[in-house]
Amino acid sequence: MGIIELRWLELCMRRVARAFSVKAATTNSSLASKPSVEAGADGDATSHQAWDTPEKPTASFRHAEYNKMLQRAETDMERCVEEYASSEPEDESEDSVATALSTHHAIVAAVRRLIDQWSCQCPEAVAKNVFGPIFHSVSIPEIRASDYLTEYLIRFGLTQKEDLTGTFLLHTVWLIDRLVQYNAHRGFHVCASNLHRVLLTTMLLTSKMLDDESYSNEYWARVGGVSLSHLNALETFTLNALDYRLSASAYELDAVASLLLEM
């Protein structure tokens, strides 16, 4: 049993003890607050005994049951602690760690190559009738899109979350592919003029999908070099373009990884 299970068991014990203490206090308070009845409706002077007497053995019985339950829980807790202390931790082999790091770097390198392939000049005829002009820059940014991804979006956007980089990139590539599939018939395409904003927006959406403690839009706006209002508009447009379908299955991400590593 791991640390999480032990803490959960300890929390259950505390809740049981707290519930019993509240119940006992409520029972004692209700017994003490009941008036002493000298005679009942039929003139029976012992009616107050019939009122109070059944409560006392019930409370006593519950007290005994709670004590037994707590003792059993404490015994189980001690046994689990002993088993956990005596168990040997499973050390990750150096080969598995090296393989994971190798795969991580391979995915980053493959995504950079893919982005370089996408960074083509936007044809003038296409540029005039594009879907999603909100993504397009007036001029092509000086920094390459692949460098923008690694030097800004990954370096600062995933600060203290470097272990998520591989999964983030797979999901981001999957989102961009879906964005193209859903809107290619409208004239949407990926090129050097819009790739920076497409990467920024899809990375933002990926962080919100995969990270329970995602950084705020304000932080991502500073990382990406755009205003907060513009990033909010980009996010809203992309969500509508994707029909709010952002969830990828493990099978789909594995397929993306296989295609990238074969490049």
Side-chain angles (χ1 to χ4, degrees), residues 64-90:
E65 287 298 309
Y66 277 122
N67 283 338
K68 291 180 181 178
M69 185 164 56
L70 286 175
Q71 290 175 359
R72 288 196 298 268
E74 289 176 356
T75 302
D76 293 340
M77 181 74 173
E78 292 175 356
R79 186 179 69 254
C80 291
V81 170
E82 292 176 357
E83 292 177 356
Y84 181 78
S86 61
S87 62
E88 296 182 358
E90 298 181 358

mmCIF file of all heavy atoms in Angstrom, residues 64-90:
data_model
loop_
_atom_site.group_PDB
_atom_site.id
_atom_site.type_symbol
_atom_site.label_atom_id
_atom_site.label_comp_id
_atom_site.label_asym_id
_atom_site.label_seq_id
_atom_site.Cartn_x
_atom_site.Cartn_y
_atom_site.Cartn_z
ATOM 1 N N ALA A 64 -19.714 1.688 21.672
ATOM 2 C CA ALA A 64 -18.947 0.445 21.621
ATOM 3 C C ALA A 64 -18.628 0.052 20.179
ATOM 4 O O ALA A 64 -17.517 -0.392 19.869
ATOM 5 C CB ALA A 64 -19.721 -0.674 22.316
ATOM 6 N N GLU A 65 -19.599 0.226 19.269
ATOM 7 C CA GLU A 65 -19.368 -0.128 17.872
ATOM 8 C C GLU A 65 -18.303 0.762 17.239
ATOM 9 O O GLU A 65 -17.440 0.300 16.498
ATOM 10 C CB GLU A 65 -20.685 -0.011 17.081
ATOM 11 C CG GLU A 65 -21.677 -1.114 17.391
ATOM 12 C CD GLU A 65 -21.119 -2.474 17.012
ATOM 13 O OE1 GLU A 65 -20.652 -2.635 15.863
ATOM 14 O OE2 GLU A 65 -21.134 -3.368 17.864
ATOM 15 N N TYR A 66 -18.372 2.059 17.549
ATOM 16 C CA TYR A 66 -17.364 2.977 17.012
ATOM 17 C C TYR A 66 -15.980 2.623 17.539
ATOM 18 O O TYR A 66 -14.982 2.672 16.814
ATOM 19 C CB TYR A 66 -17.710 4.421 17.374
ATOM 20 C CG TYR A 66 -18.708 5.058 16.447
ATOM 21 C CD1 TYR A 66 -19.907 5.559 16.923
ATOM 22 C CD2 TYR A 66 -18.435 5.179 15.085
ATOM 23 C CE1 TYR A 66 -20.827 6.151 16.060
ATOM 24 C CE2 TYR A 66 -19.344 5.769 14.225
ATOM 25 C CZ TYR A 66 -20.544 6.247 14.712
ATOM 26 O OH TYR A 66 -21.444 6.834 13.867
ATOM 27 N N ASN A 67 -15.907 2.266 18.830
ATOM 28 C CA ASN A 67 -14.611 1.890 19.406
ATOM 29 C C ASN A 67 -14.042 0.655 18.712
ATOM 30 O O ASN A 67 -12.847 0.585 18.411
ATOM 31 C CB ASN A 67 -14.750 1.645 20.904
ATOM 32 C CG ASN A 67 -14.838 2.945 21.692
ATOM 33 O OD1 ASN A 67 -14.405 3.980 21.210
ATOM 34 N ND2 ASN A 67 -15.392 2.893 22.889
ATOM 35 N N LYS A 68 -14.908 -0.327 18.456
ATOM 36 C CA LYS A 68 -14.451 -1.532 17.766
ATOM 37 C C LYS A 68 -13.964 -1.205 16.353
ATOM 38 O O LYS A 68 -12.941 -1.707 15.902
ATOM 39 C CB LYS A 68 -15.590 -2.554 17.696
ATOM 40 C CG LYS A 68 -15.962 -3.163 19.052
ATOM 41 C CD LYS A 68 -17.095 -4.166 18.890
ATOM 42 C CE LYS A 68 -17.492 -4.770 20.228
ATOM 43 N NZ LYS A 68 -18.620 -5.721 20.089
ATOM 44 N N MET A 69 -14.727 -0.352 15.669
ATOM 45 C CA MET A 69 -14.354 0.006 14.311
ATOM 46 C C MET A 69 -13.033 0.764 14.294
ATOM 47 O O MET A 69 -12.171 0.539 13.433
ATOM 48 C CB MET A 69 -15.455 0.858 13.677
ATOM 49 C CG MET A 69 -15.214 1.178 12.204
ATOM 50 S SD MET A 69 -16.686 1.770 11.366
ATOM 51 C CE MET A 69 -17.113 3.153 12.407
ATOM 52 N N LEU A 70 -12.846 1.668 15.246
ATOM 53 C CA LEU A 70 -11.598 2.413 15.325
ATOM 54 C C LEU A 70 -10.426 1.494 15.631
ATOM 55 O O LEU A 70 -9.337 1.646 15.081
ATOM 56 C CB LEU A 70 -11.703 3.504 16.390
ATOM 57 C CG LEU A 70 -12.552 4.729 16.029
ATOM 58 C CD1 LEU A 70 -12.662 5.657 17.228
ATOM 59 C CD2 LEU A 70 -11.950 5.470 14.850
ATOM 60 N N GLN A 71 -10.635 0.520 16.521
ATOM 61 C CA GLN A 71 -9.571 -0.420 16.841
ATOM 62 C C GLN A 71 -9.183 -1.246 15.626
ATOM 63 O O GLN A 71 -7.993 -1.473 15.366
ATOM 64 C CB GLN A 71 -10.018 -1.332 17.990
ATOM 65 C CG GLN A 71 -10.132 -0.613 19.348
ATOM 66 C CD GLN A 71 -10.692 -1.513 20.417
ATOM 67 O OE1 GLN A 71 -11.026 -2.677 20.159
ATOM 68 N NE2 GLN A 71 -10.810 -0.981 21.637
ATOM 69 N N ARG A 72 -10.188 -1.692 14.873
ATOM 70 C CA ARG A 72 -9.884 -2.461 13.664
ATOM 71 C C ARG A 72 -9.130 -1.604 12.650
ATOM 72 O O ARG A 72 -8.186 -2.051 12.012
ATOM 73 C CB ARG A 72 -11.181 -2.994 13.040
ATOM 74 C CG ARG A 72 -11.826 -4.116 13.818
ATOM 75 C CD ARG A 72 -12.869 -4.840 12.959
ATOM 76 N NE ARG A 72 -13.948 -3.933 12.570
ATOM 77 C CZ ARG A 72 -15.075 -3.773 13.257
ATOM 78 N NH1 ARG A 72 -15.262 -4.476 14.380
ATOM 79 N NH2 ARG A 72 -16.010 -2.952 12.838
ATOM 80 N N ALA A 73 -9.568 -0.345 12.511
ATOM 81 C CA ALA A 73 -8.895 0.551 11.571
ATOM 82 C C ALA A 73 -7.453 0.813 11.995
ATOM 83 O O ALA A 73 -6.542 0.853 11.161
ATOM 84 C CB ALA A 73 -9.664 1.864 11.469
ATOM 85 N N GLU A 74 -7.242 1.010 13.312
ATOM 86 C CA GLU A 74 -5.885 1.231 13.798
ATOM 87 C C GLU A 74 -5.007 0.014 13.560
ATOM 88 O O GLU A 74 -3.829 0.131 13.196
ATOM 89 C CB GLU A 74 -5.931 1.582 15.283
ATOM 90 C CG GLU A 74 -6.517 2.971 15.568
ATOM 91 C CD GLU A 74 -6.637 3.229 17.052
ATOM 92 O OE1 GLU A 74 -6.332 2.290 17.840
ATOM 93 O OE2 GLU A 74 -7.029 4.344 17.435
ATOM 94 N N THR A 75 -5.579 -1.167 13.761
ATOM 95 C CA THR A 75 -4.829 -2.395 13.524
ATOM 96 C C THR A 75 -4.444 -2.521 12.049
ATOM 97 O O THR A 75 -3.299 -2.855 11.708
ATOM 98 C CB THR A 75 -5.654 -3.619 13.952
ATOM 99 O OG1 THR A 75 -6.000 -3.491 15.335
ATOM 100 C CG2 THR A 75 -4.863 -4.904 13.750
ATOM 101 N N ASP A 76 -5.417 -2.251 11.170
ATOM 102 C CA ASP A 76 -5.132 -2.305 9.740
ATOM 103 C C ASP A 76 -4.089 -1.262 9.348
ATOM 104 O O ASP A 76 -3.224 -1.519 8.505
ATOM 105 C CB ASP A 76 -6.418 -2.070 8.939
ATOM 106 C CG ASP A 76 -7.410 -3.212 9.118
ATOM 107 O OD1 ASP A 76 -6.970 -4.302 9.516
ATOM 108 O OD2 ASP A 76 -8.611 -2.999 8.873
ATOM 109 N N MET A 77 -4.192 -0.091 9.968
ATOM 110 C CA MET A 77 -3.237 0.977 9.675
ATOM 111 C C MET A 77 -1.823 0.558 10.064
ATOM 112 O O MET A 77 -0.866 0.742 9.306
ATOM 113 C CB MET A 77 -3.644 2.238 10.440
ATOM 114 C CG MET A 77 -2.753 3.435 10.201
ATOM 115 S SD MET A 77 -3.029 4.166 8.593
ATOM 116 C CE MET A 77 -2.005 5.634 8.738
ATOM 117 N N GLU A 78 -1.684 -0.009 11.256
ATOM 118 C CA GLU A 78 -0.365 -0.442 11.712
ATOM 119 C C GLU A 78 0.196 -1.526 10.803
ATOM 120 O O GLU A 78 1.385 -1.521 10.472
ATOM 121 C CB GLU A 78 -0.463 -0.954 13.152
ATOM 122 C CG GLU A 78 -0.778 0.154 14.174
ATOM 123 C CD GLU A 78 -0.989 -0.409 15.561
ATOM 124 O OE1 GLU A 78 -0.965 -1.660 15.708
ATOM 125 O OE2 GLU A 78 -1.194 0.386 16.508
ATOM 126 N N ARG A 79 -0.666 -2.460 10.394
ATOM 127 C CA ARG A 79 -0.199 -3.526 9.514
ATOM 128 C C ARG A 79 0.250 -2.969 8.164
ATOM 129 O O ARG A 79 1.278 -3.370 7.618
ATOM 130 C CB ARG A 79 -1.318 -4.555 9.294
ATOM 131 C CG ARG A 79 -0.839 -5.772 8.498
ATOM 132 C CD ARG A 79 -1.929 -6.798 8.286
ATOM 133 N NE ARG A 79 -2.949 -6.303 7.393
ATOM 134 C CZ ARG A 79 -4.150 -5.906 7.768
ATOM 135 N NH1 ARG A 79 -4.490 -5.951 9.049
ATOM 136 N NH2 ARG A 79 -5.024 -5.461 6.892
ATOM 137 N N CYS A 80 -0.517 -2.010 7.639
ATOM 138 C CA CYS A 80 -0.149 -1.411 6.356
ATOM 139 C C CYS A 80 1.173 -0.649 6.456
ATOM 140 O O CYS A 80 2.001 -0.697 5.546
ATOM 141 C CB CYS A 80 -1.258 -0.466 5.894
ATOM 142 S SG CYS A 80 -2.791 -1.307 5.421
ATOM 143 N N VAL A 81 1.360 0.048 7.569
ATOM 144 C CA VAL A 81 2.607 0.785 7.760
ATOM 145 C C VAL A 81 3.780 -0.173 7.826
ATOM 146 O O VAL A 81 4.843 0.063 7.237
ATOM 147 C CB VAL A 81 2.530 1.642 9.041
ATOM 148 C CG1 VAL A 81 3.893 2.223 9.382
ATOM 149 C CG2 VAL A 81 1.522 2.765 8.866
ATOM 150 N N GLU A 82 3.614 -1.281 8.548
ATOM 151 C CA GLU A 82 4.684 -2.269 8.644
ATOM 152 C C GLU A 82 4.998 -2.878 7.272
ATOM 153 O O GLU A 82 6.168 -3.049 6.912
ATOM 154 C CB GLU A 82 4.283 -3.366 9.632
ATOM 155 C CG GLU A 82 4.205 -2.876 11.079
ATOM 156 C CD GLU A 82 3.712 -3.967 12.015
ATOM 157 O OE1 GLU A 82 3.387 -5.067 11.503
ATOM 158 O OE2 GLU A 82 3.660 -3.728 13.243
ATOM 159 N N GLU A 83 3.940 -3.193 6.497
ATOM 160 C CA GLU A 83 4.157 -3.774 5.187
ATOM 161 C C GLU A 83 4.852 -2.785 4.260
ATOM 162 O O GLU A 83 5.742 -3.158 3.486
ATOM 163 C CB GLU A 83 2.821 -4.209 4.578
ATOM 164 C CG GLU A 83 2.183 -5.387 5.305
ATOM 165 C CD GLU A 83 0.831 -5.734 4.712
ATOM 166 O OE1 GLU A 83 0.379 -5.002 3.805
ATOM 167 O OE2 GLU A 83 0.238 -6.732 5.158
ATOM 168 N N TYR A 84 4.443 -1.525 4.344
ATOM 169 C CA TYR A 84 5.058 -0.508 3.486
ATOM 170 C C TYR A 84 6.519 -0.276 3.865
ATOM 171 O O TYR A 84 7.376 -0.115 3.019
ATOM 172 C CB TYR A 84 4.277 0.799 3.596
ATOM 173 C CG TYR A 84 4.830 1.897 2.724
ATOM 174 C CD1 TYR A 84 4.568 1.927 1.353
ATOM 175 C CD2 TYR A 84 5.616 2.908 3.266
ATOM 176 C CE1 TYR A 84 5.066 2.925 0.546
ATOM 177 C CE2 TYR A 84 6.134 3.914 2.463
ATOM 178 C CZ TYR A 84 5.855 3.914 1.101
ATOM 179 O OH TYR A 84 6.361 4.914 0.313
ATOM 180 N N ALA A 85 6.792 -0.282 5.198
ATOM 181 C CA ALA A 85 8.162 -0.055 5.655
ATOM 182 C C ALA A 85 9.078 -1.213 5.278
ATOM 183 O O ALA A 85 10.263 -1.022 4.999
ATOM 184 C CB ALA A 85 8.178 0.159 7.160
ATOM 185 N N SER A 86 8.517 -2.426 5.292
ATOM 186 C CA SER A 86 9.338 -3.591 4.994
ATOM 187 C C SER A 86 9.524 -3.820 3.504
ATOM 188 O O SER A 86 10.427 -4.541 3.088
ATOM 189 C CB SER A 86 8.708 -4.848 5.613
ATOM 190 O OG SER A 86 7.413 -5.067 5.073
ATOM 191 N N SER A 87 8.640 -3.218 2.693
ATOM 192 C CA SER A 87 8.746 -3.419 1.249
ATOM 193 C C SER A 87 9.894 -2.600 0.684
ATOM 194 O O SER A 87 10.175 -1.490 1.137
ATOM 195 C CB SER A 87 7.443 -3.026 0.548
ATOM 196 O OG SER A 87 7.189 -1.659 0.753
ATOM 197 N N GLU A 88 10.542 -3.125 -0.312
ATOM 198 C CA GLU A 88 11.658 -2.432 -0.958
ATOM 199 C C GLU A 88 11.136 -1.559 -2.090
ATOM 200 O O GLU A 88 10.321 -1.999 -2.895
ATOM 201 C CB GLU A 88 12.653 -3.455 -1.518
ATOM 202 C CG GLU A 88 13.315 -4.310 -0.435
ATOM 203 C CD GLU A 88 14.313 -5.259 -1.032
ATOM 204 O OE1 GLU A 88 14.437 -5.256 -2.281
ATOM 205 O OE2 GLU A 88 14.953 -6.001 -0.283
ATOM 206 N N PRO A 89 11.562 -0.315 -2.137
ATOM 207 C CA PRO A 89 11.101 0.558 -3.224
ATOM 208 C C PRO A 89 11.581 0.054 -4.571
ATOM 209 O O PRO A 89 12.667 -0.492 -4.695
ATOM 210 C CB PRO A 89 11.737 1.922 -2.885
ATOM 211 C CG PRO A 89 12.931 1.574 -2.056
ATOM 212 C CD PRO A 89 12.553 0.347 -1.268
ATOM 213 N N GLU A 90 10.693 0.244 -5.553
ATOM 214 C CA GLU A 90 11.026 -0.190 -6.896
ATOM 215 C C GLU A 90 11.830 0.897 -7.592
ATOM 216 O O GLU A 90 11.316 1.963 -7.908
ATOM 217 C CB GLU A 90 9.751 -0.489 -7.690
ATOM 218 C CG GLU A 90 8.924 -1.621 -7.082
ATOM 219 C CD GLU A 90 7.690 -1.893 -7.897
ATOM 220 O OE1 GLU A 90 7.495 -1.164 -8.902
ATOM 221 O OE2 GLU A 90 6.929 -2.795 -7.550
#
